[in-house]
């Protein structure tokens, strides 16, 4: 008689091991607004790297006419679909991570600008300079020099821009996520 796995072993086979990681979009899992936006910045950088990698892979594929003769050197036939297959495999592996990353960026934009863009969030409570500084630095993952240029500040104003971001983070921490997203200036009780 063949070995039959026990009921516990069968149920356990496909289950993930260890504690389940919290969702990136669970605001309660962040210690404060700064840690949330630092995570957003890291995800934004990762999404851009993935996008660039996909573009490089597509460029390697190239557009080729269909041929029926053997191609390649030394009499070997090259697999012209290998580059496309590799890109599609990479896209599939990265798909869920990318979807969750874009969900996180959308959430960050709601925190900064409200449910309806420009009608809530940090923008309504603290002004567009604060919301835009946080957005350029953390959502767009730009260096301070680019944030300064985008906001019309001098290149030496990184300290002032950090202070604007800190004010926005303090506002979010004081009022709470729901109030900030709704553009309400009432502290959670």
């Amino acid at each position: 008689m063949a070995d039959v796995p026990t009921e516990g072993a069968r149920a356990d086979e496909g289950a993930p091991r260890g504690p389940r990681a919290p969702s990136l979009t669970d605001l309660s899992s962040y210690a404060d607004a700064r840690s949330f936006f630092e995570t957003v910045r890291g995800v934004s950088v990762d999404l851009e790297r993935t996008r660039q990698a996909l573009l490089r892979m597509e460029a390697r594929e190239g557009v080729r006419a269909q041929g029926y003769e053997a191609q390649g050197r030394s009499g070997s036939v090259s697999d012209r679909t290998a580059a496309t297959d590799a890109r599609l495999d990479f896209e599939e592996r990265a798909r869920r991570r990318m979807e969750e990353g874009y969900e996180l960026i959308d959430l960050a934009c709601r925190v900064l600008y409200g449910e309806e863009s420009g009608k809530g969030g940090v923008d309504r409570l603290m002004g567009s300079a604060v919301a835009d500084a946080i957005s350029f630095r953390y959502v767009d993952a730009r260096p301070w020099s680019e944030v300064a240029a985008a906001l019309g500040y001098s290149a030496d104003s990184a300290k002032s821009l950090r202070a604007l971001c800190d004010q926005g983070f303090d506002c979010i921490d004081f009022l709470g996520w729901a109030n900030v997203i709704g553009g309400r200036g009432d502290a959670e009780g």
Side-chain angles (χ1 to χ4, degrees):
M1 181 170 188
D3 289 333
V4 178
T6 64
E7 194 63 37
R10 259 185 269 149
D12 205 32
E13 283 175 359
R17 307 258 185 247
R20 187 170 180 189
S23 168
L24 287 175
T25 56
D26 178 11
L27 291 171
S28 66
S29 67
Y30 296 96
D32 55 18
R34 175 176 297 286
S35 64
F36 170 75
F37 280 101
E38 289 289 348
T39 300
V40 169
R41 181 176 170 78
V43 166
S44 183
V45 168
D46 183 52
L47 286 170
E48 180 59 19
R49 282 187 193 132
T50 303
R51 188 183 75 78
Q52 291 294 327
L54 287 169
L55 288 173
R56 283 190 304 275
M57 293 172 101
E58 284 178 0
R60 278 193 296 255
E61 291 171 31
V63 178
R64 299 180 183 112
Q66 176 66 41
Y68 296 99
E69 307 83 39
Q71 299 284 323
R73 298 181 202 153
S74 305
S76 68
V77 177
S78 65
D79 183 2
R80 293 183 182 265
T81 62
T84 302
D85 291 343
R87 179 183 52 83
L88 292 173
D89 289 345
F90 178 74
E91 280 179 329
E92 183 58 33
R93 286 190 312 273
R95 183 184 53 77
R96 180 64 196 135
R97 183 177 42 86
M98 291 172 65
E99 286 173 358
E100 189 173 24
Y102 287 123
E103 288 172 16
L104 180 68
I105 287 175
D106 287 344
L107 177 57
C109 290
R110 287 196 310 275
V111 169
L112 294 173
Y113 301 105
E115 292 291 339
E116 296 179 41
S117 187
K119 299 193 190 265
V122 172
D123 185 34
R124 181 173 184 184
L125 297 169
M126 300 289 297
S128 62
V130 175
D132 291 346
I134 294 171
S135 180
F136 290 139
R137 176 65 181 171
Y138 296 93
V139 177
D140 296 346
R142 295 186 188 187
W144 287 113
S145 60
E146 287 184 24
V147 175
L151 294 173
Y153 282 72
S154 72
D156 302 331
S157 59
K159 193 172 187 177
S160 298
L161 292 169
R162 281 189 188 105
L164 279 179
C165 292
D166 288 342
Q167 289 172 10
F169 298 152
D170 289 345
C171 174
I172 295 166
D173 291 340
F174 180 73
L175 296 175
W177 297 107
N179 286 330
V180 171
I181 291 170
R184 296 181 302 273
D186 304 328
E188 291 177 332

